[in-house]
Amino acid sequence: MSVIRLDCRGLCCPEPLIILKKAVRGAKSGDIVEIFSDDPVSLRDFPAFCRFMNHDLLNMPDSTHPNFFRIRKR
């Protein structure tokens, strides 16, 4: 299992989602993608992407880790 880290802070929709899609496409099943994104649309886009593509959304931003998402590729 590998961890892929993406820093998408300062980017606006659709750039964070495009970068995430490219990273997931190149990842192996079980790999983790960690994303920092301060685009408010990512709060909607990343969970929808995971549901649609059947990946596991492990972490959403919270008060301790703002702007941080973690996704496991299936």
Side-chain angles (χ1 to χ4, degrees):
M1 175 186 80
S2 297
V3 177
I4 301 163
R5 291 184 176 89
L6 306 172
D7 188 350
C8 297
R9 289 175 284 200
L11 302 177
C12 296
C13 183
E15 290 173 305
L17 184 59
I18 292 168
I19 292 168
L20 172 61
K21 284 180 179 180
K22 183 177 180 182
V24 169
R25 191 176 307 124
K28 295 177 184 162
S29 182
D31 285 354
I32 303 291
V33 181
E34 296 181 343
I35 312 127
F36 286 93
S37 177
D38 53 5
D39 180 15
V41 180
S42 294
L43 292 168
R44 182 194 68 216
D45 281 354
F46 292 172
F49 170 74
C50 289
R51 279 191 306 275
F52 183 74
M53 299 301 292
N54 200 32
H55 300 306
D56 299 318
L57 181 60
L58 304 175
N59 292 91
M60 288 281 291
D62 58 25
S63 59
T64 307
H65 300 98
N67 308 317
F68 180 71
F69 300 81
R70 185 181 290 136
I71 294 167
R72 180 186 306 120
K73 180 176 179 173
R74 282 198 188 176

